[in-house]
Amino acid sequence: MLSLIRGCGGYTMISKDLLGCATSRNKGTCDNRLNIRRDALEASVLSGLRTHLMEPDLFKEFCDEFPREVNRLRIERGAGLAAMRDELPRIERELGKLLAAIKAGGPIEAIVEDMKRLEARKAVLKDQLANAEEPPPPPTSEHGGDLPSADRGVL
């Protein structure tokens, strides 16, 4: 299963229920077109835990840490999207100030260069936001609820 990501930039949620190489899907610069359903990955991980991780203390630690790590990554990704969304109005305000400076007779060449830079950044942000996927929901088991409470008894 983990051989799917060998040599790849890394897997992420590429749709609601599918993990795959985001670089391959979004940019086409990775040859890794393999993907895996989230429920299949979770089942495989739980099966591996059942088979190979029989120490209850180690399993408890996994069940405590896995949702924390997934949530940390979700928050980090969500914060990046929020930062991009927050930057767009700032760029618009700056463009408005630069336009006012031109009207007031400011140094046109310098102002136009700043406007070009801001317009380019705005285009990049809009493209990134248009192609961004919202972070996936928190991990849950097939039994409903979070992993620690639902799956401890399964093993």
Side-chain angles (χ1 to χ4, degrees):
M1 170 183 55
L2 293 178
S3 63
L4 290 172
I5 62 173
R6 190 176 47 210
C8 180
Y11 269 39
T12 187
M13 294 301 294
I14 58 173
S15 72
K16 180 180 174 241
D17 297 315
L18 202 62
L19 285 100
C21 177
T23 303
S24 175
R25 182 171 188 215
N26 297 335
K27 297 180 182 175
T29 57
C30 178
D31 294 335
N32 187 354
R33 303 275 188 248
L34 299 174
N35 56 54
I36 186 168
R37 290 185 51 85
R38 179 177 166 177
D39 58 344
L41 177 63
E42 289 175 357
S44 181
V45 168
L46 288 174
S47 173
L49 291 173
R50 265 186 222 106
T51 305
H52 302 291
L53 189 59
M54 301 308 277
E55 279 295 318
D57 291 342
L58 294 175
F59 181 66
K60 179 188 179 311
E61 184 175 339
F62 169 80
C63 287
D64 290 342
E65 291 301 320
F66 178 74
R68 267 190 222 121
E69 178 64 10
V70 170
N71 285 334
R72 183 191 68 77
L73 294 171
R74 286 179 59 249
I75 290 167
E76 186 177 285
R77 186 171 177 191
L81 291 174
M84 285 189 277
R85 287 184 189 110
D86 292 346
E87 189 176 349
L88 282 173
R90 285 194 297 271
I91 288 174
E92 290 295 338
R93 284 192 298 275
E94 287 297 314
L95 287 169
K97 290 176 187 177
L98 291 171
L99 184 59
I102 288 174
K103 289 179 181 177
I108 291 179
E109 288 180 19
I111 293 171
V112 168
E113 286 302 313
D114 282 347
M115 290 180 94
K116 286 180 183 177
R117 180 184 50 79
L118 288 169
E119 287 290 349
R121 177 65 181 155
K122 184 169 99 172
V124 166
L125 287 172
K126 284 186 172 187
D127 181 59
Q128 288 176 339
L129 287 169
N131 293 315
E133 293 183 29
E134 291 297 320
T140 59
S141 75
E142 62 191 43
H143 312 292
D146 61 47
L147 284 173
S149 64
D151 291 322
R152 278 192 184 120
V154 173
L155 300 176

